[in-house]
Amino acid sequence: MTQVLDLLLLRRLLPSLTFIILCLMLLLLIFRSDRMLPPQKYMMQLSDEPAWVQNQTTGTTVLKGQSAHLIRVKGSKTLLVSAFLEHRTKPRKVLVIAIMFRKEKVSLQCSLRCREQLHVSRASVDIHWDHFGFPYGTADVSCPLPPACQAPTHVAVTSAAIRNPDEADLEFLEVQNQKALTVFPYNFTSCFSTMYNYTNILQLVQTVEMLQLLGVNRIVIYKTNCSNETQRVLDYYTDKGLVEVVPWSLSKYLKVSRRAKPDQDPGDIHYFGQIPALNDCLYRFMYRSKYVALHDPDELILPQTVDSWSQLLPLLEKRHGADRCFNFENNWFPTEFTERPPPPNVLPALGHWHNVFGVNILTHLYREPVKPKPVFNNYKIIANPRSVFVVTVHGVLRSQENCAWVDRKTAHMYHTKARGQNGLKAQQLVYDGRLLSYSGRLTAAVNAVLNETRLLPE
Ligand SMILES: *[C@@H]1O[C@H](CO)[C@@H](O)[C@H](O)[C@H]1NC(C)=O
Ligand SMILES: *[C@@H]1O[C@H](CO)[C@@H](O)[C@H](O)[C@H]1NC(C)=O
Ligand SMILES: *[C@@H]1O[C@H](CO)[C@@H](O)[C@H](O)[C@H]1NC(C)=O
Ligand SMILES: *[C@@H]1O[C@H](CO)[C@@H](O)[C@H](O)[C@H]1NC(C)=O
Ligand SMILES: *[C@@H]1O[C@H](CO)[C@@H](O)[C@H](O)[C@H]1NC(C)=O
Ligand SMILES: *[C@@H]1O[C@H](CO)[C@@H](O)[C@H](O)[C@H]1NC(C)=O
């Protein structure tokens, strides 16, 4: 009796059993196609440098800037900057930010590490179009995720011409952004790309203090080199937990140009490799900061109707919609002009600051006249980083929605630097004293920092 029942049951189950067996075979096939490699000893390049450092004296935890760990791909001119899990594409993938020789025809493959196993997949390459005519450009190297490896912790990229790369030769990047977090430790992060031969201490301290008044909690600085005094200031802010210095030593690998175009200063890559640095910053802070601002230390985006970025962004989102990026119009404040005497509350500081090297932004309140639109004007952005895929020097190359232009009466950028010959006469410049509404708080804050870093005369 039971045997008959069993048989009946079997007959009824047979079609579904066949289906399950077919599925299993299909899965096996897929597994084989991503060619499992034997386990190998754990390599973690990035963790030679401890990321979080506890300062025993102050008790604060400090994130020492993790070096952007440049890796050269064997058998190719490609350089790898950093790797991230990209949660927003369907299907998800690993994005490796890279620097590629544009003329080189190379196909790349990814070795993705999941637990103790390696899974190989064929990479696709997209070189960003904003290479400005230099031989090298920033590139997205995309690694598809094999079904058996959906959350790799590390990735190595090799030339596909090397069929079976020697395991011991593989150099791994840590895959960052493992989780698509929705709560962020920072509200605003500013990324300063490529600090080179930097000596402008007074303007740096003023900008960093202004940014804090505006609501910024994190500043990332991609640094090639600077004066010893600047380094003292950077160390001070790093110990405070505000600044993260990312050593940026691309010049060890490539001849970096110091200018924006090859005819101004020929080289392998645009302006110290600023563009890969900016893209690295965007992805590093995608799930650590509510907003990311991309600008230089001589640029300040100032709201005109409210006091801070914390108040400005809700306004902009109400007007233009949430989850996007905002372009802020540039205004030049040439340091060659100091017309009107500074107000009394700034005057006492000027005596003290006389011996501190660099530009004092509080004394440059005249801007060049605004050019009629539409004109490219070196604008900069504040973005919800999760709405952006690719950034460039000025603005965004690819995002979920186009960036919104912010009306200059709501906010615009103050770019204080030497302009050299610009053909303008002093009387053509326009007074703009917006910065002075911060001068009391700013002066006190700057004095405190200069004093603590022993940059003020006794
Ligand atoms: C800890 O912080 C103090 C005060 O900012 C600083 O002088 C000291 O160098 C820091 N120590 C380390 C190990 O960073
Ligand atoms: C971020 O902004 C919110 C709302 O303005 C504020 O309550 C919070 O303290 C800010 N966080 C930091 C780290 O400044
Ligand atoms: C570094 O900057 C100083 C002025 O601050 C300048 O005189 C010098 O030529 C610069 N050096 C390089 C290598 O750019
Ligand atoms: C930065 O590096 C350049 C090239 O090595 C050098 O000429 C310059 O003096 C350095 N700048 C500072 C401020 O150390
Ligand atoms: C800067 O610091 C380095 C290392 O601390 C030192 O070797 C060098 O002489 C300093 N340079 C100047 C100009 O003081
Ligand atoms: C400068 O710092 C010292 C201690 O380091 C302090 O006694 C002094 O009051 C400070 N001066 C100013 C102007 O902040």
Side-chain angles (χ1 to χ4, degrees):
M1 182 63 191
T2 49
Q3 267 176 353
V4 175
L5 254 183
D6 274 351
L7 249 167
L8 274 174
L9 206 65
L10 192 65
R11 230 191 243 168
R12 222 182 299 154
L13 285 181
L14 206 58
S16 19
L17 271 177
T18 319
F19 179 72
I20 289 169
I21 289 167
L22 271 174
C23 282
L24 280 174
M25 282 169 67
L26 200 74
L27 263 178
L28 262 174
L29 262 175
I30 294 170
F31 269 109
R32 279 185 57 85
S33 73
D34 71 52
R35 223 175 72 217
M36 271 201 243
L37 296 181
Q40 94 181 90
K41 69 175 187 297
Y42 208 66
M43 278 201 246
M44 252 181 64
Q45 298 294 337
L46 280 173
S47 45
D48 330 321
E49 301 156 66
W52 293 95
V53 179
Q54 178 93 24
N55 185 317
Q56 301 299 339
T57 327
T58 59
T60 49
T61 310
V62 174
L63 183 66
K64 295 281 180 190
Q66 274 190 18
S67 181
H69 190 90
L70 298 171
I71 291 178
R72 194 191 290 283
V73 173
K74 277 219 182 91
S76 161
K77 292 183 189 294
T78 305
L79 289 168
L80 309 176
V81 179
S82 48
F84 303 89
L85 201 56
E86 171 58 272
H87 300 269
R88 300 166 300 169
T89 51
K90 288 189 173 56
R92 299 190 312 166
K93 65 180 186 184
V94 164
L95 170 72
V96 181
I97 296 175
I99 297 166
M100 293 185 79
F101 185 55
R102 295 193 291 120
K103 280 196 189 136
E104 185 180 61
K105 296 273 172 279
V106 61
S107 45
L108 299 175
Q109 68 184 9
C110 310
S111 299
L112 298 154
R113 172 188 293 288
C114 267
R115 290 170 294 277
E116 285 303 302
Q117 272 174 326
L118 285 185
H119 303 257
V120 175
S121 71
R122 178 61 70 99
S124 61
V125 166
D126 173 25
I127 300 183
H128 303 183
W129 57 260
D130 59 337
H131 47 69
F132 297 92
F134 285 98
Y136 282 78
T138 310
D140 287 357
V141 173
S142 296
C143 306
L145 298 179
C149 185
Q150 286 290 298
T153 54
H154 295 80
V155 62
V157 177
T158 50
S159 161
I162 306 170
R163 274 294 168 90
N164 292 303
D166 189 348
E167 292 162 38
D169 282 352
L170 289 181
E171 266 198 282
F172 283 91
L173 287 167
E174 179 190 336
V175 178
Q176 304 175 60
N177 294 354
Q178 287 288 327
K179 291 215 169 73
L181 302 176
T182 51
V183 180
F184 317 108
Y186 308 117
N187 285 338
F188 292 99
T189 297
S190 281
C191 303
F192 295 173
S193 59
T194 59
M195 174 178 269
Y196 170 79
N197 193 27
Y198 195 90
T199 55
N200 190 354
I201 303 165
L202 185 53
Q203 190 168 10
L204 178 68
V205 173
Q206 288 181 328
T207 301
V208 169
E209 293 305 314
M210 264 309 294
L211 289 174
Q212 289 181 89
L213 295 179
L214 293 169
V216 171
N217 343 84
R218 196 77 179 155
I219 300 171
V220 189
I221 303 177
Y222 290 75
K223 189 200 84 175
T224 299
N225 76 339
C226 64
S227 65
N228 284 1
E229 275 105 348
T230 305
Q231 189 58 49
R232 212 189 305 163
V233 168
L234 295 181
D235 291 344
Y236 167 82
Y237 282 126
T238 304
D239 283 337
K240 287 212 141 184
L242 174 69
V243 162
E244 189 172 325
V245 175
V246 179
W248 186 250
S249 52
L250 187 56
S251 46
K252 280 189 203 150
Y253 299 82
L254 296 179
K255 184 183 178 306
V256 298
S257 172
R258 292 166 192 196
R259 301 294 296 276
K261 294 193 187 115
D263 58 359
Q264 296 167 328
D265 177 27
D268 291 328
I269 189 165
H270 166 267
Y271 200 72
F272 304 107
Q274 177 185 37
I275 293 166
L278 288 172
N279 281 282
D280 178 73
C281 200
L282 172 81
Y283 279 86
R284 270 183 199 234
F285 281 85
M286 193 159 280
Y287 301 106
R288 284 166 68 197
S289 190
K290 192 166 180 201
Y291 302 100
V292 167
L294 306 182
H295 58 93
D296 294 331
D298 57 3
E299 297 170 324
L300 277 172
I301 292 164
L302 296 186
Q304 303 294 304
T305 58
V306 293
D307 203 43
S308 66
W309 289 3
S310 319
Q311 295 161 306
L312 174 66
L313 267 290
L315 274 184
L316 297 180
E317 293 188 341
K318 211 166 135 196
R319 198 173 299 166
H320 302 282
D323 300 333
R324 52 191 309 189
C325 41
F326 300 98
N327 296 337
F328 296 87
E329 187 189 295
N330 180 40
N331 289 253
W332 298 105
F333 287 72
T335 52
E336 288 87 348
F337 292 95
T338 39
E339 287 274 300
R340 194 175 289 191
N345 64 344
V346 175
L347 279 173
L350 293 183
H352 282 94
W353 294 349
H354 207 72
N355 292 319
V356 184
F357 196 81
V359 169
N360 178 1
I361 56 174
L362 285 167
T363 62
H364 301 290
L365 305 175
Y366 286 83
R367 65 166 167 79
E368 295 180 8
V370 181
K371 295 211 173 86
K373 282 194 193 143
V375 88
F376 173 77
N377 82 350
N378 294 53
Y379 64 95
K380 292 292 169 76
I381 62 162
I382 298 178
N384 170 338
R386 294 159 302 284
S387 72
V388 176
F389 291 97
V390 180
V391 292
T392 181
V393 188
H394 304 284
V396 161
L397 289 191
R398 193 149 51 81
S399 54
Q400 283 168 349
E401 264 188 271
N402 286 339
C403 302
W405 276 95
V406 175
D407 167 36
R408 62 171 285 109
K409 292 203 184 77
T410 306
H412 56 262
M413 192 167 75
Y414 292 65
H415 194 166
T416 312
K417 71 178 284 188
R419 291 279 281 152
Q421 285 294 337
N422 63 0
L424 286 172
K425 296 199 177 65
Q427 56 269 35
Q428 287 173 279
L429 299 180
V430 183
Y431 180 77
D432 182 337
R434 176 66 183 140
L435 195 56
L436 294 181
S437 49
Y438 300 91
S439 62
R441 288 187 289 161
L442 178 60
T443 304
V446 169
N447 271 334
V449 174
L450 293 177
N451 184 29
E452 284 187 54
T453 50
R454 306 179 316 282
L455 288 163
L456 278 185
E458 292 302 322

